[in-house]
Amino acid sequence: MSDHTVSSSSSFQRPSGRTPGQLREVSLELGYTRYAEGSVLIRQGHTHVLCNASVLDQVPPFLKGQGSGWVTAEYGMLPRSTHTRSSREAARGKQSGRTQEIQRLIGRSLRAVFDLDTLGERTIQIDCDVLQADGGTRCASITGAWVAAALAVRGLVDNGVLARSPLLDHVAAVSVGLYQQHPVLDLDYVEDSGCGADINVVMTGAGQFVELQGTAEGQNFGRTDLNRALDLAEQGITQLVAMQKQALEQ
Amino acid sequence: MSDHTVSSSSSFQRPSGRTPGQLREVSLELGYTRYAEGSVLIRQGHTHVLCNASVLDQVPPFLKGQGSGWVTAEYGMLPRSTHTRSSREAARGKQSGRTQEIQRLIGRSLRAVFDLDTLGERTIQIDCDVLQADGGTRCASITGAWVAAALAVRGLVDNGVLARSPLLDHVAAVSVGLYQQHPVLDLDYVEDSGCGADINVVMTGAGQFVELQGTAEGQNFGRTDLNRALDLAEQGITQLVAMQKQALEQ
Amino acid sequence: MSDHTVSSSSSFQRPSGRTPGQLREVSLELGYTRYAEGSVLIRQGHTHVLCNASVLDQVPPFLKGQGSGWVTAEYGMLPRSTHTRSSREAARGKQSGRTQEIQRLIGRSLRAVFDLDTLGERTIQIDCDVLQADGGTRCASITGAWVAAALAVRGLVDNGVLARSPLLDHVAAVSVGLYQQHPVLDLDYVEDSGCGADINVVMTGAGQFVELQGTAEGQNFGRTDLNRALDLAEQGITQLVAMQKQALEQ
Amino acid sequence: MSDHTVSSSSSFQRPSGRTPGQLREVSLELGYTRYAEGSVLIRQGHTHVLCNASVLDQVPPFLKGQGSGWVTAEYGMLPRSTHTRSSREAARGKQSGRTQEIQRLIGRSLRAVFDLDTLGERTIQIDCDVLQADGGTRCASITGAWVAAALAVRGLVDNGVLARSPLLDHVAAVSVGLYQQHPVLDLDYVEDSGCGADINVVMTGAGQFVELQGTAEGQNFGRTDLNRALDLAEQGITQLVAMQKQALEQ
Amino acid sequence: MSDHTVSSSSSFQRPSGRTPGQLREVSLELGYTRYAEGSVLIRQGHTHVLCNASVLDQVPPFLKGQGSGWVTAEYGMLPRSTHTRSSREAARGKQSGRTQEIQRLIGRSLRAVFDLDTLGERTIQIDCDVLQADGGTRCASITGAWVAAALAVRGLVDNGVLARSPLLDHVAAVSVGLYQQHPVLDLDYVEDSGCGADINVVMTGAGQFVELQGTAEGQNFGRTDLNRALDLAEQGITQLVAMQKQALEQ
Amino acid sequence: MSDHTVSSSSSFQRPSGRTPGQLREVSLELGYTRYAEGSVLIRQGHTHVLCNASVLDQVPPFLKGQGSGWVTAEYGMLPRSTHTRSSREAARGKQSGRTQEIQRLIGRSLRAVFDLDTLGERTIQIDCDVLQADGGTRCASITGAWVAAALAVRGLVDNGVLARSPLLDHVAAVSVGLYQQHPVLDLDYVEDSGCGADINVVMTGAGQFVELQGTAEGQNFGRTDLNRALDLAEQGITQLVAMQKQALEQ
């Protein structure tokens, strides 16, 4: 991958040494596991998420018999994906509020670019499992999940199950933060911990918002801050969408 | 309450008959229950949320012995607060992902305007219970919860437990949506169901963002849409903060 | 409400200042919420319980296809309905034994005055949620739930869904206790805590027992005590049934 | 065991062939298991309950450091103790409302005859497990649990752990029902299913009520019915207490 | 029961005083409870397990409509079956890993000697409940469960539900251990605690292995040890199968 | 890796085309994730398991203050590690019996070669997460977990936390089966499904048994079969231990 840098005149220094608008190194490894209809390992810096898409011949009860399909996601972190070990959700007996929040977000983001009628009465079930976490796992999950879903969809079209793709557009996500008042793109864990505000942006290939989740963390922020941060996010997502395209073309 | 109308030249008609920038009728009934340190029933149109603030002489384990306090929230809907009955979360044995998402949001929003060191080693525990739901329950919960917390804090100051208030500012929330491409303020249930995008905005009295959660629902949205919606949200929150002030002064 | 006093020659003094056979002030506010088929807020002194009745077009599995209906109830206390905050059952992940005991009692009490065949294959689902608790919440729930159920039934008859009412009689409940050996009616929290025995009585409008639950609390009791307490309970329930009638006639 | 019959002039016939006031055959087998501090198998007709009392050197958190003891109980039915198999509560992952109701009742009944200060900071934990169920399991559990607890207490006194017994009196329980309007004592499963009302009575050796739980099942009942049923219950409990005494004297 | 001794020239002494190849006293009490289709109390020394077999007219979902039957088991220990009280699994809300491991083992062991097609679309559900535990409960459960299942099967054949028995062979189980390097048969609790290795062996009447579970506990073991232990196990199981036959012939 | 073949004169053909005593291709990738104190990805054919070892400065309650350490394991399969998607245990809210069985096995196997006193009051917590499953996941987990634990231990020694290694020996595991009566080593999923018996063998580097779990699946087996299978297992484990050594030496 050549150059994800966005030029910046600022003398201010990010902990990661990246320029404010610079993404981490991103790679998309297709076919990482053998059995899923679509399997992608996305690496964004030290954040590694395995995204598997399964095609299931069933839909949730509320959709039965309506000819429409469904796209949904589950998310998990391996206990030792992080700097210190977290307890295993399966052993604790429930998913945390954070986990549920993230998997609902991934599902909504994917559905925003799916024509569920064209998909027909089947479910694309996405599993995003974080093997290694260095910040930005929810955004990396969305970017990777889209590629896994696209692979699964391609299989359905290639096998003649679907006459045409139900995918309407790309979707990708990135975080932006305010670090010492400066907007910065694609926070790693250290930067995230030090940021006054954290904004996760999910956009389509056409540059429309799908989701926008901004949280002040220690420092509330104004309209100007928001606008500068969204400018960076748009640039980052444009790059991520380009990488998704490139990965699928190989 | 006199007039929450914001003038609009649009010929377009909302289902509620309100102008695009018009809040629903809002009332804050203080002391709705007797035992909580702060108790407020907020009515925003047909959405009624009982917000109780309790002062607990303990903090979560991760804060023990650090001299700092905590503010947190729980949220629930009565099973028949809605048009059709939902199952009771206590009977099902777990809180839904939506419930957890909302109560985490309320907690973060309140903490954004609290000086936790000044609060000292105690917890302000907020309970937001929806008695009747007609859309916008999470935003009404935040607006009401702030008043309940302010009452609890006033008690601590009046009783000499705290030398000064740990409250740094107001916080209030409102939803904005894109209804047939038009930005509209404070969606009720019917409007919310018909909206292409739904944005919940949490702001301080000083007009800074605390949280911003935008979700495309059927229709992705661009920067211009976002900006017009945020303009309405700012106006609405300014009115809500004024009502909070007025309620506490009585 | 005029006068709930039952004369007493005793010089003994209740903590509440009421005479031994005097009910607390009771009010029944119909239509407290908009969406339930029957909605009643019962206030009995400082005990406030919201009773909502929902009509569901389904019955439990064991009744399917038998033409018979069902009446059942769920009960909950808001976390800060009490003097000190209790943990939220939905967050803890299960209903306490006490909660289950009470909701089973409410369900049995209502079914005792319902002709389930006349109700047909549908369920009247009662939700009793305690907004404020000052003793006697299970009894107030039953008295209020009957009114909520009666409103729901009235709707079914008025809409022509049912040819005639499946309600066979009123049902209401009250507690009696032995306070310093004296039988007293309708205990509030302070009286309940100081009582040597606590008896909850559920009776029909015809004055028959539906449920009788007496528990010695610190002081076992004999047949004479029981009989004097039941005399008071009968008088109290006669008054409560009269209030139910009056409320429905308005 | 010689004769539990209470004479009756009625020409009416119980399904069991017993006279209205006749208990089922009762036996108390002490030391049924080897490890518990008190172990009793109570057989009341075909109802067999294993009651084990354990002495634990701890008390619940709310009693810590107060020098007072605790008595509590748990109850369970083996899945195939009944005519048809019930699911195993441990496998379902929770105790039913009925189970919790019963074990709370057993605990309260025992505590009514215990001087918890004399017991000191330890817990008598009762386990009542139904090996075979033919009606009346909760009452048989209480009658048997008292004997198990008495054995455990005797051990504490014999070993010099306690200077004197914390047991203030006997406690025993029996059911009475209204079968075709006639009061009958000690219902078996067939009789219970056919009864219009079911009253469980818990009394001390001194003939005082500890608990009284009457439930109309299909037929509400009046004061006269109640009084006739309580007369039978008193007679039955007198016999059960005599058997408890006899069993401990052997 | 005459003599289960297997001669041994060793001067080494077991804690139990038994010879290395000597089983504990074993008894099989048929019809221990009245309602189960097959009910057996197996006593092996101080280990007592109640094994009930229920015939259910249903099969698990994965077998529906295939004409094949199922055999499965559940296992539990009464809280005070052991030297010190264990917590009740139903109260804790889940079965331990050990419990699940054992009940899966019992089910597999029984299925190994069942012709499920001959059984037809019904389930033999085994419940093994340990009333008293002194080591070897899983093995005693298997040995007893086979007899309970055989009784249930006999009933199905006697009633003409089945034309012939689906039982292909006996199955029984026993533990062997290495105690101070010596192989010993049928460990009780004290011996088990002191053993360097614990091997549970499940065999058919024909002397074939069904399950073999060896665990080093403090001392790893070699092929020679294994072979000497298996020799003892074979001898023990031969005796247990003979007792099963004798019990069914009475 | 050169050659794991064990010569075989049999004309019989395995589905995998391997000789009866031939292991699948095995690789051990050390440092697969960055944060764990020991991290290994073991690939055994298409079975891929990520084994992470964490060093925790705490021990379970039963070991507190005794100066001894603990080694334990948790196991999980990613939902789409298999041919068809399995439900996520964290979402279902509990670990299956199979999962618990396996993680208990891994823990016991590791502890068999650890001197827990030398480890001191800390825990080596192993997480085995199956990324891709083609049979033999529990055995691969053990073989990989030992290497992860060895890396973690090496760190403790290198950092001077431990004066010497608490590891007493290697431990590794492999499955053997009876395929059409022939013993075969290291079953893949297709072979496992077709096998009449499945035996998992865990051995030390010194060739002693740690665990032996044989299960007849459709076909019971005799002593001769067992012995031939164990011969293969020993050869396989000798190879696996050599690979562990080689991996650590690099």
Side-chain angles (χ1 to χ4, degrees):
Chain A
M1 215 159 301
S2 46
D3 183 6
H4 310 305
T5 316
V6 171
S7 68
S8 159
S9 58
S10 165
S11 68
F12 132 90
Q13 188 70 27
R14 294 176 68 166
S16 62
R18 285 183 278 146
T19 60
Q22 189 180 0
L23 286 175
R24 290 178 282 181
E25 196 72 21
V26 176
S27 74
L28 293 157
E29 183 174 344
L30 277 58
Y32 186 75
T33 65
R34 318 170 48 86
Y35 305 123
E37 280 73 35
S39 176
V40 174
L41 180 69
I42 180 168
R43 293 188 185 85
Q44 190 151 352
H46 293 317
T47 289
H48 300 178
V49 186
L50 174 53
C51 305
N52 280 335
S54 300
V55 177
L56 310 178
D57 279 329
Q58 56 186 56
V59 287
F62 69 90
L63 280 179
K64 258 181 198 153
Q66 301 186 21
S68 172
W70 192 239
V71 180
T72 187
E74 287 182 358
Y75 168 95
M77 296 181 80
L78 294 196
R80 196 53 201 276
S81 56
T82 41
H83 289 72
T84 56
R85 187 177 185 270
S86 309
S87 66
R88 184 177 290 266
E89 291 190 328
R92 260 187 297 154
K94 62 175 193 174
Q95 295 179 298
S96 71
R98 176 185 173 276
T99 291
Q100 292 187 63
E101 207 170 296
I102 292 175
Q103 64 192 13
R104 285 157 52 90
L105 170 66
I106 301 169
R108 284 198 309 271
S109 297
L110 274 270
R111 285 195 297 276
V113 294
F114 255 88
D115 175 351
L116 296 174
D117 290 333
T118 300
L119 179 57
E121 206 148 329
R122 57 184 58 82
T123 295
I124 306 276
Q125 167 81 45
I126 309 284
D127 287 290
C128 295
D129 285 279
V130 179
L131 304 187
Q132 195 172 276
D134 188 32
T137 63
R138 80 186 68 190
C139 290
S141 293
I142 291 168
T143 305
W146 184 87
V147 180
L151 287 174
V153 159
R154 180 187 285 178
L156 290 170
V157 172
D158 287 355
N159 297 336
V161 177
L162 293 182
R164 56 194 173 82
S165 169
L167 265 175
L168 305 170
D169 198 350
H170 284 245
V171 77
V174 80
S175 70
V176 275
L178 292 169
Y179 194 85
Q180 296 174 4
Q181 317 282 13
H182 295 74
V184 290
L185 181 68
D186 189 19
L187 311 170
D188 61 27
Y189 177 76
V190 167
E191 291 173 338
D192 190 15
S193 310
C195 257
D198 181 10
I199 305 172
N200 291 295
V201 183
V202 186
M203 296 187 98
T204 61
Q208 297 273 298
F209 290 110
V210 172
E211 289 271 341
L212 179 61
Q213 298 193 335
T215 299
E217 293 180 340
Q219 168 126 27
N220 305 326
F221 57 98
R223 285 288 284 277
T224 310
D225 295 323
L226 176 65
N227 279 319
R228 290 161 63 211
L230 293 181
D231 289 344
L232 285 190
E234 277 191 31
Q235 295 168 18
I237 286 175
T238 302
Q239 292 182 322
L240 290 165
V241 167
M243 291 177 212
Q244 289 177 331
K245 280 191 180 132
Q246 195 180 346
L248 283 176
E249 278 161 15
Q250 281 164 347
Chain B
M1 215 159 303
S2 46
D3 182 8
H4 311 303
T5 317
V6 170
S7 68
S8 159
S9 58
S10 165
S11 67
F12 133 89
Q13 188 70 28
R14 295 174 68 164
S16 64
R18 284 183 278 145
T19 58
Q22 190 180 1
L23 287 176
R24 291 178 282 182
E25 196 71 21
V26 176
S27 74
L28 293 159
E29 183 174 344
L30 277 59
Y32 185 75
T33 64
R34 328 170 39 88
Y35 305 123
E37 281 72 36
S39 178
V40 174
L41 180 69
I42 180 168
R43 294 188 184 86
Q44 193 151 350
H46 293 316
T47 289
H48 299 176
V49 186
L50 174 53
C51 304
N52 281 335
S54 300
V55 178
L56 310 179
D57 279 329
Q58 56 186 57
V59 288
F62 68 90
L63 281 179
K64 260 183 196 151
Q66 302 185 19
S68 172
W70 192 240
V71 180
T72 187
E74 287 183 357
Y75 168 95
M77 295 181 80
L78 294 197
R80 195 55 200 277
S81 56
T82 41
H83 288 73
T84 56
R85 187 177 184 271
S86 309
S87 65
R88 184 177 291 266
E89 291 190 327
R92 261 187 295 154
K94 62 175 190 172
Q95 295 180 299
S96 71
R98 177 186 174 275
T99 291
Q100 291 187 64
E101 207 170 296
I102 292 175
Q103 64 193 14
R104 284 157 52 90
L105 171 66
I106 302 170
R108 284 198 309 273
S109 297
L110 274 270
R111 284 193 298 275
V113 293
F114 255 88
D115 175 349
L116 295 173
D117 289 333
T118 300
L119 178 56
E121 206 148 329
R122 55 184 60 82
T123 296
I124 306 275
Q125 168 80 47
I126 309 285
D127 287 289
C128 296
D129 285 279
V130 179
L131 305 187
Q132 196 173 274
D134 187 33
T137 62
R138 81 185 67 190
C139 290
S141 294
I142 291 167
T143 305
W146 184 88
V147 180
L151 287 174
V153 159
R154 180 187 285 178
L156 290 171
V157 172
D158 287 356
N159 297 335
V161 176
L162 293 182
R164 57 194 173 80
S165 170
L167 266 174
L168 305 170
D169 198 350
H170 284 245
V171 77
V174 79
S175 71
V176 277
L178 292 170
Y179 194 85
Q180 296 173 6
Q181 319 282 13
H182 295 75
V184 291
L185 182 68
D186 189 18
L187 310 170
D188 62 28
Y189 178 74
V190 167
E191 292 173 338
D192 189 16
S193 310
C195 258
D198 181 12
I199 305 170
N200 292 294
V201 183
V202 186
M203 296 187 97
T204 60
Q208 296 275 298
F209 290 111
V210 171
E211 289 271 341
L212 179 61
Q213 297 194 334
T215 299
E217 294 180 339
Q219 168 125 24
N220 304 327
F221 56 99
R223 284 289 284 275
T224 310
D225 295 324
L226 175 66
N227 279 318
R228 288 162 62 213
L230 294 181
D231 289 343
L232 285 190
E234 277 192 31
Q235 295 167 17
I237 286 174
T238 302
Q239 292 181 323
L240 290 166
V241 167
M243 290 177 213
Q244 289 178 331
K245 280 190 181 135
Q246 195 180 349
L248 282 176
E249 279 161 12
Q250 282 160 349
Chain C
M1 214 160 302
S2 45
D3 182 7
H4 309 306
T5 316
V6 171
S7 67
S8 159
S9 58
S10 164
S11 68
F12 132 91
Q13 189 68 26
R14 296 175 68 166
S16 63
R18 283 183 279 144
T19 59
Q22 190 179 0
L23 287 176
R24 290 178 283 181
E25 197 71 21
V26 177
S27 74
L28 293 158
E29 183 174 344
L30 277 59
Y32 185 75
T33 65
R34 327 171 40 89
Y35 305 123
E37 281 72 35
S39 177
V40 174
L41 179 70
I42 181 169
R43 293 187 184 88
Q44 193 151 349
H46 293 317
T47 289
H48 299 177
V49 186
L50 174 54
C51 304
N52 282 335
S54 300
V55 178
L56 310 179
D57 280 328
Q58 56 186 57
V59 287
F62 69 89
L63 281 178
K64 260 183 197 150
Q66 303 186 18
S68 172
W70 192 239
V71 180
T72 188
E74 287 183 358
Y75 167 95
M77 295 181 80
L78 295 196
R80 195 53 201 277
S81 56
T82 40
H83 288 72
T84 56
R85 188 177 184 270
S86 309
S87 66
R88 185 177 291 265
E89 291 190 328
R92 261 187 296 155
K94 63 175 191 173
Q95 295 180 299
S96 70
R98 175 186 174 276
T99 291
Q100 292 187 63
E101 208 170 295
I102 291 175
Q103 64 193 14
R104 284 157 53 90
L105 170 66
I106 302 170
R108 284 198 310 271
S109 297
L110 274 271
R111 286 194 296 276
V113 294
F114 255 88
D115 176 350
L116 296 173
D117 289 333
T118 300
L119 178 57
E121 206 148 330
R122 56 183 60 81
T123 295
I124 307 274
Q125 168 82 45
I126 309 285
D127 287 290
C128 295
D129 285 279
V130 178
L131 305 187
Q132 195 172 278
D134 187 34
T137 62
R138 80 185 68 191
C139 290
S141 293
I142 291 168
T143 305
W146 184 88
V147 179
L151 287 174
V153 160
R154 181 187 284 176
L156 290 170
V157 172
D158 288 355
N159 297 337
V161 176
L162 292 182
R164 58 193 172 83
S165 169
L167 265 175
L168 304 170
D169 199 351
H170 284 246
V171 76
V174 78
S175 71
V176 276
L178 292 169
Y179 193 87
Q180 296 174 5
Q181 318 283 12
H182 295 75
V184 290
L185 182 68
D186 190 18
L187 311 170
D188 61 28
Y189 177 75
V190 168
E191 291 173 337
D192 190 15
S193 309
C195 257
D198 181 11
I199 305 171
N200 292 294
V201 182
V202 186
M203 295 187 98
T204 61
Q208 296 274 298
F209 291 109
V210 171
E211 289 271 340
L212 179 62
Q213 297 192 336
T215 298
E217 292 179 340
Q219 168 126 26
N220 305 326
F221 57 99
R223 285 289 283 277
T224 309
D225 294 324
L226 175 66
N227 280 319
R228 288 162 63 211
L230 294 181
D231 289 342
L232 286 190
E234 278 192 30
Q235 295 168 18
I237 287 175
T238 302
Q239 293 181 324
L240 291 166
V241 168
M243 290 177 213
Q244 289 178 329
K245 280 189 180 137
Q246 194 180 348
L248 283 176
E249 278 162 13
Q250 282 164 346
Chain D
M1 214 160 300
S2 46
D3 182 8
H4 310 304
T5 317
V6 171
S7 66
S8 158
S9 58
S10 165
S11 67
F12 132 90
Q13 187 70 25
R14 294 175 69 164
S16 63
R18 284 183 280 144
T19 58
Q22 190 179 1
L23 287 176
R24 291 178 282 181
E25 196 71 21
V26 176
S27 74
L28 293 158
E29 183 175 344
L30 277 59
Y32 186 76
T33 64
R34 320 170 47 85
Y35 304 123
E37 281 72 34
S39 177
V40 174
L41 180 69
I42 180 167
R43 294 187 183 87
Q44 192 151 351
H46 293 318
T47 289
H48 299 178
V49 186
L50 174 52
C51 305
N52 282 335
S54 301
V55 178
L56 310 178
D57 279 329
Q58 57 185 56
V59 287
F62 68 90
L63 281 179
K64 258 182 198 152
Q66 303 185 17
S68 171
W70 192 240
V71 180
T72 187
E74 288 184 357
Y75 168 96
M77 295 180 80
L78 294 196
R80 195 53 199 278
S81 57
T82 41
H83 289 72
T84 56
R85 186 176 185 272
S86 309
S87 65
R88 185 177 290 265
E89 292 190 328
R92 262 187 296 154
K94 63 174 191 173
Q95 295 179 298
S96 70
R98 176 186 172 276
T99 291
Q100 292 187 63
E101 208 170 295
I102 291 175
Q103 64 193 14
R104 285 158 51 91
L105 170 66
I106 301 170
R108 284 198 309 271
S109 298
L110 274 271
R111 285 194 297 276
V113 294
F114 256 88
D115 175 349
L116 297 173
D117 289 333
T118 300
L119 178 57
E121 207 149 330
R122 56 183 59 83
T123 295
I124 307 275
Q125 168 81 46
I126 310 285
D127 287 289
C128 295
D129 285 279
V130 179
L131 305 187
Q132 194 172 274
D134 188 33
T137 62
R138 80 185 68 190
C139 290
S141 294
I142 291 167
T143 305
W146 184 88
V147 181
L151 288 174
V153 159
R154 180 187 284 178
L156 290 170
V157 172
D158 288 354
N159 296 337
V161 176
L162 293 182
R164 57 194 173 82
S165 169
L167 267 175
L168 305 170
D169 198 351
H170 284 245
V171 77
V174 79
S175 71
V176 277
L178 292 169
Y179 193 85
Q180 297 173 5
Q181 318 282 13
H182 294 74
V184 291
L185 182 68
D186 190 18
L187 311 170
D188 62 28
Y189 177 75
V190 167
E191 291 174 339
D192 190 16
S193 309
C195 258
D198 182 11
I199 305 171
N200 292 294
V201 182
V202 186
M203 296 187 97
T204 61
Q208 297 274 299
F209 290 110
V210 171
E211 289 271 340
L212 179 61
Q213 297 194 336
T215 299
E217 293 180 340
Q219 168 127 24
N220 304 327
F221 57 99
R223 285 287 284 277
T224 310
D225 294 324
L226 175 65
N227 279 319
R228 288 162 62 211
L230 293 181
D231 289 342
L232 285 190
E234 278 192 30
Q235 295 168 18
I237 286 174
T238 302
Q239 293 181 323
L240 291 166
V241 167
M243 290 177 213
Q244 290 177 329
K245 282 190 179 136
Q246 195 180 347
L248 282 176
E249 279 162 13
Q250 283 161 346
Chain E
M1 212 160 305
S2 45
D3 182 8
H4 310 307
T5 315
V6 171
S7 67
S8 159
S9 59
S10 163
S11 68
F12 133 90
Q13 187 69 26
R14 296 175 67 164
S16 63
R18 285 183 277 144
T19 58
Q22 190 180 1
L23 286 176
R24 291 179 281 181
E25 196 70 22
V26 176
S27 74
L28 293 158
E29 183 174 344
L30 276 58
Y32 185 75
T33 64
R34 324 171 41 89
Y35 304 123
E37 281 73 35
S39 177
V40 174
L41 180 70
I42 180 169
R43 292 187 185 88
Q44 193 151 349
H46 293 317
T47 289
H48 300 177
V49 186
L50 174 53
C51 304
N52 281 335
S54 301
V55 178
L56 309 179
D57 280 329
Q58 55 185 57
V59 287
F62 68 89
L63 281 178
K64 259 183 197 151
Q66 302 185 19
S68 172
W70 192 239
V71 180
T72 187
E74 287 183 357
Y75 168 94
M77 295 180 79
L78 294 197
R80 196 54 201 279
S81 57
T82 41
H83 289 72
T84 57
R85 187 177 184 271
S86 308
S87 66
R88 185 177 290 267
E89 291 190 328
R92 261 187 297 155
K94 63 175 192 172
Q95 295 180 299
S96 70
R98 177 186 173 274
T99 290
Q100 292 187 64
E101 207 170 295
I102 292 175
Q103 63 192 14
R104 284 157 52 91
L105 171 66
I106 302 170
R108 284 199 309 272
S109 297
L110 274 271
R111 286 194 298 275
V113 293
F114 256 88
D115 175 350
L116 296 173
D117 289 332
T118 301
L119 179 58
E121 206 148 329
R122 58 183 59 81
T123 295
I124 307 274
Q125 167 81 45
I126 310 285
D127 287 290
C128 295
D129 285 279
V130 179
L131 305 188
Q132 196 171 275
D134 188 34
T137 62
R138 80 185 69 190
C139 290
S141 294
I142 291 168
T143 304
W146 183 88
V147 180
L151 287 174
V153 160
R154 180 187 286 178
L156 290 170
V157 172
D158 288 355
N159 297 336
V161 176
L162 293 182
R164 57 193 173 82
S165 170
L167 266 174
L168 305 170
D169 198 350
H170 284 246
V171 76
V174 79
S175 70
V176 276
L178 292 170
Y179 194 87
Q180 296 174 5
Q181 317 282 14
H182 295 75
V184 290
L185 182 68
D186 189 19
L187 312 170
D188 61 29
Y189 177 75
V190 168
E191 292 174 337
D192 191 15
S193 309
C195 257
D198 181 12
I199 305 171
N200 293 294
V201 182
V202 187
M203 295 187 98
T204 60
Q208 296 274 299
F209 290 111
V210 172
E211 290 271 341
L212 180 60
Q213 297 194 335
T215 299
E217 293 179 339
Q219 169 125 25
N220 305 326
F221 57 99
R223 285 289 284 276
T224 310
D225 295 324
L226 175 65
N227 280 319
R228 290 162 62 211
L230 293 181
D231 288 343
L232 286 191
E234 277 192 31
Q235 295 168 17
I237 286 174
T238 302
Q239 293 181 324
L240 290 166
V241 167
M243 291 177 213
Q244 289 177 330
K245 280 190 180 136
Q246 194 180 348
L248 282 176
E249 279 161 13
Q250 282 162 348
Chain F
M1 214 160 302
S2 47
D3 182 7
H4 311 304
T5 316
V6 170
S7 68
S8 158
S9 58
S10 165
S11 69
F12 134 89
Q13 188 70 28
R14 295 175 69 166
S16 63
R18 285 183 278 144
T19 58
Q22 190 179 1
L23 287 176
R24 292 178 281 181
E25 196 71 22
V26 176
S27 74
L28 293 158
E29 183 175 344
L30 277 58
Y32 186 75
T33 64
R34 333 171 33 91
Y35 305 123
E37 280 72 34
S39 177
V40 174
L41 180 70
I42 180 168
R43 294 187 184 86
Q44 192 151 351
H46 294 316
T47 289
H48 299 176
V49 186
L50 174 52
C51 305
N52 281 335
S54 301
V55 178
L56 310 179
D57 279 328
Q58 56 186 56
V59 287
F62 68 91
L63 281 179
K64 259 182 197 150
Q66 302 185 18
S68 171
W70 192 240
V71 179
T72 187
E74 287 184 357
Y75 168 95
M77 295 180 80
L78 294 197
R80 195 54 200 278
S81 57
T82 42
H83 289 73
T84 56
R85 187 177 185 271
S86 309
S87 65
R88 185 178 290 265
E89 292 190 327
R92 261 187 296 155
K94 62 175 192 172
Q95 295 179 299
S96 71
R98 177 186 174 275
T99 291
Q100 292 187 63
E101 207 169 295
I102 291 174
Q103 64 193 13
R104 285 158 51 91
L105 171 66
I106 301 169
R108 282 198 310 272
S109 298
L110 274 270
R111 284 194 297 275
V113 294
F114 256 88
D115 175 350
L116 296 174
D117 289 333
T118 300
L119 179 57
E121 206 148 329
R122 55 183 60 82
T123 295
I124 306 276
Q125 168 80 46
I126 309 285
D127 288 289
C128 294
D129 285 278
V130 179
L131 305 188
Q132 195 172 275
D134 188 32
T137 62
R138 80 185 68 189
C139 290
S141 294
I142 292 167
T143 306
W146 185 88
V147 181
L151 287 174
V153 160
R154 180 187 285 177
L156 290 170
V157 172
D158 287 356
N159 296 336
V161 176
L162 293 181
R164 57 193 173 82
S165 169
L167 265 175
L168 304 170
D169 198 350
H170 284 245
V171 77
V174 79
S175 70
V176 276
L178 292 169
Y179 193 86
Q180 297 173 6
Q181 319 282 11
H182 295 74
V184 290
L185 181 68
D186 189 17
L187 311 169
D188 62 27
Y189 177 75
V190 168
E191 292 173 337
D192 189 16
S193 310
C195 257
D198 182 11
I199 305 171
N200 292 295
V201 182
V202 186
M203 295 187 99
T204 60
Q208 297 274 299
F209 291 109
V210 171
E211 290 271 341
L212 179 61
Q213 298 193 334
T215 299
E217 294 180 339
Q219 168 126 25
N220 305 327
F221 57 99
R223 286 287 284 276
T224 310
D225 295 324
L226 176 65
N227 280 319
R228 289 161 63 211
L230 294 180
D231 289 343
L232 286 189
E234 278 192 30
Q235 294 168 18
I237 287 174
T238 302
Q239 293 182 323
L240 291 165
V241 168
M243 290 177 213
Q244 290 177 330
K245 281 189 180 135
Q246 195 180 348
L248 282 177
E249 279 161 13
Q250 283 163 347

